[in-house]
Amino acid sequence: QVQLVESGGGLVQPGGSLRLSCAASGSIFGRYTMGWYRQAPGKQRELVGTITRGGATNYADSVNGRFIISIDNAKNTVFLQMTSLKPEDTAVYYCYAKVGYTDYWGQGTQVTVSS
């Protein structure tokens, strides 16, 4: 079992920045991928981006160039640095981990971009 705990959400003005963190604990070892999804009200959950243990990243077109995902393998922690935030980035952000063939999800953290 893997547990994911997010932190760092909140309210930010358009154009601002915010950093989310996700700490993984439990049976996380070997090859795994971590990342972030988000879900806005009335919309389906969508990919934000992922990162492998080796550091290879993948981003959704909507955030590419504005968001950066990084990983601290020693601490099993993944980060999402968000810049140039827009109101349409408002959503619940979920941490994600794929370990072997199993997907794990965090409880979600709210990000609101509003003036």
Side-chain angles (χ1 to χ4, degrees):
Q1 284 290 341
V2 173
Q3 295 78 43
L4 304 174
V5 179
E6 302 109 332
S7 60
L11 173 65
V12 63
Q13 292 187 341
S17 300
L18 204 61
R19 190 174 87 149
L20 306 183
S21 300
C22 173
S25 61
S27 302
I28 183 163
F29 55 86
R31 298 178 66 180
Y32 58 83
T33 297
M34 296 186 71
W36 297 88
Y37 281 71
R38 67 186 182 185
Q39 187 167 18
K43 295 187 177 181
Q44 290 188 331
R45 192 173 295 189
E46 64 177 9
L47 171 72
V48 175
T50 60
I51 186 168
T52 67
R53 186 176 184 179
T57 54
N58 174 57
Y59 297 98
D61 289 343
S62 59
V63 306
N64 198 19
R66 299 188 298 121
F67 291 9
I68 296 175
I69 295 175
S70 58
I71 191 167
D72 183 336
N73 286 314
K75 297 181 179 180
N76 290 332
T77 300
V78 65
F79 304 94
L80 178 65
Q81 179 67 50
M82 302 182 289
T83 61
S84 301
L85 282 160
K86 305 174 182 180
E88 51 263 43
D89 294 317
T90 295
V92 177
Y93 283 70
Y94 294 91
C95 181
Y96 162 81
K98 186 175 184 68
V99 182
Y101 298 104
T102 305
D103 296 335
Y104 298 93
W105 296 92
Q107 79 284 358
T109 185
Q110 177 70 45
V111 172
T112 302
V113 185
S114 175
S115 56

